[in-house]
Amino acid sequence: MNTGRDDFLTWVSRERGAALPVRTTDAVLTMLALRGAERRAGVPEPTPQLVRQVLHEDLPQLLYAGDEELDAVPAVLTALADRVRAAGRLNAKRHAKLVAAVEEAVPEFRRATADPLNLTWPRWYASLLSADGVDRDDADAVRAWLDAHESTPHAERPALPEPLHRSDLADRTFSVRARLTEALLEAFARDTRAASPAGPLLPAPPLDADRPDDALTGELDHIAVELTDRWTAAGLEGELTGRHASLAPGPEAVPHASLADHMLDEHLDYYGDSAVPLPPPAAVPAPDEIQGLLHAAPLPAALASGNFDDELREVSERCGLPGPASEVWTAGTPQELLELAADILAAQAERLPPVTGPEDAYSFDAAHLLYSLYERGSTPDSVARKICDAKDDGVAPELEDAPAPVPGSAPAAYETPSPDELSVLLGMPGRTEEDRAEIDAPAKGLAAVVDQLALTGCLFRTGDTYGLTPLGAAVMRHVITVGHVAAPDQETVAGWDAAQTVAAVRHWPTQLAASALAAFADRRGGTDQAWKELLDAVAAARSEDANAARTAEYFAQLDRAGVPTTALRAALGDPVTGAAARRLLLSRGEDVPEDAVPLGARATVLVEELDQRWIDDMLVHVKSRDVSGDTGIPGPADIPPTTLLPAFDAAAADWPGGAIALVEALAAADPATCLRVLDSLHTHHPDRAVAAAAGRTRKSAERTLSGRR
């Protein structure tokens, strides 16, 4: 490649009496040239923008270099700037600016180079070769090391750095190669349009071949392989795509990576943020139990033995069992066995049909089913309840995430629960045979999907109850973390402080949230101080985050967790949560005067209550519009405040200063939640002074929110 590398190294040696490392110099010059740097000076001419791109995006993923080679990167770029200036292509001001850009870019370059998320298979194996003292420029030595490494028992091989999985390196390697090939193609296009005065950058491809497009692609692939070898280890790329391909699987060899992508999509649909943590399973198998559980599962055992029907041949081929994965089956590490179990689960899930309601009223696939089980803390669910929830047929809120009871035994064939059983499962008394008949077909369809997934050893079904097995919980946690969704284990949760605990459990099922809060306090001796930390964290979350849960929801969790009365009394003076603490004390039969609570805390509870009244009114209004055939979308002020106005007036009657003072207090307490309440008051309140105050205050609340952003 025409980068002027050798002449540049000679110039540096002559002018500076120093020798720059060839690998580092080659990578820097080549990537600058591929990114479009001018070469009129005989070398790629860096600019501040190109320096940042090459140091921050390219080299951390393409180059593996020892400490001395990495330390030389600034020297290479500085010498390059000097060489371009000596050629008359850079004045003093631009030279100084370029050198400053190099110095500014180096810290991020070092961070990115050390970031495990930038590892590719070639960089990973180059690091192992270097650690073992292998000459990475000797292709025979590299090949011999790979031979020895592949024959090393899996448990004795170095583990990937946390938090990486094989799928991460497979995806990263694929994407890095694609970007390198794209850069080569762009360089070829520039050479074709107007070659630099220094000559074409790339060697001329054999375009006189019978199929010139294929010839060009082949030549660019050959150059990409050559560059990868020069920047990692000689002959490494060919070995990892040839004889030793099992050491560096591509995305197609990791079936559960696609399931992990589905998990990320599901999580973003639920929460909009991959960092929102899911509750950990109560128990997962010990590492030395994984193999026994996997071998005992019907589908994995059938695949390993080769004794399966043709309909499972695609699953077998996807998982490499029997085949490349057979060695993992017999002698894999617990982590490798877990990944194999994930591959089998993913391949099985892919082939199953979705569960669809009458007239496509709802539809969900096996991936959704798996996510929903883990999202509920890996607790068992009910087939019938899942169908009723999907068809929006009414499930009592307190039962939506409640664990379904697991019967001691049940017939293998699925039977939809009786009307009386449905009434209990749904928390909706009076279910009828008609209700049962309506869900019978989709419930049996869901049970059939669960039974197929259960063959993997990751799910179970007993009667109407189904869920993840301990193996399934471990497999799903692995898959979800591969999707880069926060899925902490029990140990991680135990290490959270109060703020982290409160922020996480607001999304969890009530019982799991309560257990996590109680465990936090128990680990700190169950003292009032421990509970105070949680109460303070609730107050901080409620005041700082407009999207935080309502105080009523937080305190319902705390109540179930067993927050002591003494801690609640100590919280009465809190300007945010004092009224919620008083309400919980009153529900326990305690006597607490209202004036023990700050007005701001009372306003916080009131604005939440009034907003709930607005929601109730909205639901009634929307239902009536559906009945009348009105398809328009009502605005916040269009909702008749059937319950909102009476609730506001009742609160205003006891509020110091009356209705207008209450309007202002609501906005001060929670400018985000109050907006639609104030909209409704502005439009519908019969007292025009109150209505006008609501309109003015709403504008003020919007300005407050804008200032927070």
Side-chain angles (χ1 to χ4, degrees):
M1 191 172 292
N2 184 15
T3 62
R5 181 196 67 186
D6 294 341
D7 289 344
F8 171 66
L9 289 172
T10 300
W11 180 86
V12 171
S13 177
R14 183 180 67 248
E15 297 295 324
R16 294 190 170 188
L20 294 174
V22 175
R23 193 190 320 275
T24 303
T25 304
D26 183 63
V28 170
L29 268 61
T30 300
M31 287 314 304
L32 284 171
L34 289 179
R35 292 304 181 189
E38 290 281 354
R39 292 183 293 115
R40 293 177 182 272
V43 290
E45 302 172 18
T47 65
Q49 180 179 353
L50 286 175
V51 165
R52 286 189 291 271
Q53 183 177 20
V54 169
L55 291 192
H56 296 169
E57 300 174 21
D58 296 328
L59 295 191
Q61 297 177 353
L62 288 165
L63 172 67
Y64 180 80
D67 291 341
E68 291 184 2
E69 291 174 315
L70 287 178
D71 290 342
V73 167
V76 171
L77 284 163
T78 302
L80 195 57
D82 293 346
R83 178 70 185 89
V84 175
R85 175 158 167 70
R89 296 279 299 161
L90 205 59
N91 62 29
K93 183 177 180 180
R94 290 173 57 210
H95 177 270
K97 184 177 180 181
L98 179 57
V99 171
V102 171
E103 293 175 354
E104 292 172 3
V106 165
E108 173 59 19
F109 164 68
R110 292 188 181 280
R111 186 210 63 78
T113 299
D115 187 348
L117 295 180
N118 281 324
L119 268 183
T120 61
W121 286 124
R123 290 188 72 234
W124 167 242
Y125 284 109
S127 73
L128 298 183
L129 287 159
S130 182
D132 283 353
V134 177
D135 181 358
R136 290 187 286 129
D137 294 323
D138 183 340
D140 291 336
V142 170
R143 185 181 306 108
W145 183 92
L146 288 170
D147 289 341
H149 182 75
E150 187 151 34
S151 65
T152 301
H154 289 223
E156 297 177 16
R157 297 177 185 177
L160 292 172
E162 294 287 348
L164 294 183
H165 303 286
R166 290 187 312 146
S167 57
D168 293 310
L169 269 69
D171 288 342
R172 179 68 64 187
T173 302
F174 179 84
S175 63
V176 168
R177 167 52 64 84
R179 289 202 303 274
L180 179 57
T181 302
E182 182 181 3
L184 287 165
L185 184 59
E186 290 173 355
F188 170 76
R190 287 193 298 270
D191 281 350
T192 303
R193 287 195 304 268
S196 166
L201 176 63
L202 303 180
L207 296 185
D208 57 346
D210 293 337
R211 303 175 67 179
D213 288 346
D214 291 344
L216 174 60
T217 300
E219 180 64 18
L220 296 183
D221 283 343
H222 173 74
I223 295 173
V225 169
E226 181 182 324
L227 293 176
T228 300
D229 285 353
R230 283 180 2 206
W231 300 340
T232 55
L236 181 59
E237 179 79 1
E239 293 292 332
L240 294 181
T241 56
R243 288 199 312 144
H244 297 293
S246 63
L247 295 178
E252 72 287 345
V254 188
H256 69 267
S258 61
L259 181 59
D261 289 340
H262 282 296
M263 295 301 101
L264 176 60
D265 291 342
E266 290 280 346
H267 194 72
L268 293 177
D269 285 344
Y270 272 64
Y271 301 111
D273 184 354
S274 64
V276 173
L278 293 172
V284 294
D288 60 1
E289 296 174 333
I290 299 291
Q291 186 180 59
L293 292 171
L294 182 61
H295 284 196
L299 177 56
L303 294 176
S305 68
N307 183 23
F308 50 82
D309 297 333
D310 284 344
E311 65 177 13
L312 291 176
R313 192 159 304 282
E314 183 178 353
V315 175
S316 168
E317 292 172 353
R318 289 275 283 143
C319 300
L321 190 66
S326 295
E327 185 179 357
V328 171
W329 175 263
T330 56
T333 65
Q335 179 61 35
E336 290 173 332
L337 289 162
L338 199 64
E339 292 181 7
L340 177 57
D343 285 342
I344 295 171
L345 177 62
Q348 178 75 332
E350 286 176 1
R351 59 185 289 270
L352 298 178
V355 177
T356 305
E359 299 180 359
D360 294 331
Y362 55 86
S363 179
F364 53 87
D365 58 13
H368 167 79
L369 192 69
L370 292 168
Y371 175 84
S372 65
L373 283 172
Y374 194 90
E375 189 264 345
R376 55 186 286 116
S378 302
T379 58
D381 200 358
S382 154
V383 170
R385 189 167 64 192
K386 178 70 175 176
I387 294 297
C388 290
D389 187 42
K391 66 192 288 287
D392 198 21
D393 201 34
V395 177
E398 66 273 14
L399 292 180
E400 287 179 356
D401 295 315
V406 182
S409 62
Y414 180 78
E415 294 181 9
T416 305
S418 69
D420 288 344
E421 291 169 330
L422 281 177
S423 297
V424 174
L425 277 170
L426 305 179
M428 305 287 288
R431 298 297 91 182
T432 65
E433 280 293 345
E434 184 179 353
D435 296 324
R436 180 179 186 271
E438 186 177 351
I439 68 168
D440 186 63
K444 287 179 177 176
L446 173 55
V449 169
V450 170
D451 290 347
Q452 288 295 306
L453 292 172
L455 296 175
T456 67
C458 293
L459 271 74
F460 75 91
R461 182 181 66 80
T462 306
D464 181 62
T465 301
Y466 72 102
L468 294 172
T469 63
L471 174 64
V475 166
M476 284 306 301
R477 181 175 178 272
H478 167 75
V479 171
I480 286 169
T481 56
V482 167
H484 300 288
V485 171
D489 56 18
Q490 292 284 358
E491 184 179 358
T492 299
V493 172
W496 284 345
D497 61 22
Q500 291 171 305
T501 302
V502 165
V505 303
R506 59 169 285 206
H507 302 287
W508 295 1
T510 301
Q511 182 54 55
L512 294 179
S515 297
L517 294 170
F520 175 92
D522 288 345
R523 286 191 296 271
R524 289 156 180 79
T527 63
D528 283 356
Q529 176 58 34
W531 288 102
K532 180 180 184 302
E533 290 179 30
L534 291 171
L535 288 162
D536 288 348
V538 168
R542 190 64 187 81
S543 60
E544 296 170 4
D545 182 1
N547 297 314
R550 300 177 187 271
T551 53
E553 296 172 15
Y554 283 125
F555 274 77
Q557 294 174 343
L558 288 164
D559 184 30
R560 196 157 182 175
V563 57
T565 297
T566 50
L568 290 172
R569 284 194 172 276
L572 289 172
D574 189 278
V576 176
T577 59
R582 175 177 181 266
R583 176 167 297 182
L584 182 49
L585 286 167
L586 292 175
S587 72
R588 294 179 176 182
E590 297 286 323
D591 182 19
V592 186
E594 191 170 51
D595 60 9
V597 175
L599 277 179
R602 290 172 56 190
T604 298
V605 167
L606 275 174
V607 74
E608 293 177 353
E609 289 181 350
L610 295 174
D611 186 63
Q612 185 59 51
R613 295 289 184 276
W614 184 93
I615 292 172
D616 295 341
D617 291 340
M618 180 269 294
L619 292 174
V620 171
H621 180 61
V622 169
K623 187 173 183 178
S624 68
R625 288 164 65 95
D626 289 343
V627 171
S628 65
D630 190 343
T631 58
I633 300 176
D638 298 330
I639 310 299
T642 308
T643 64
L644 171 59
L645 273 187
F648 173 82
D649 288 340
D654 295 330
W655 193 263
I660 293 177
L662 177 56
V663 164
E664 295 170 350
L666 296 177
D670 191 341
T673 305
C674 77
L675 293 180
R676 54 195 182 191
V677 172
L678 296 182
D679 254 342
S680 189
L681 294 176
H682 176 59
T683 304
H684 297 288
H685 201 283
D687 186 329
R688 300 323 299 163
V690 174
R696 292 193 305 271
T697 305
R698 189 194 190 288
K699 293 179 181 178
S700 176
E702 286 182 322
R703 287 194 296 271
T704 299
L705 290 174
S706 297
R708 288 183 181 179
R709 299 189 193 103

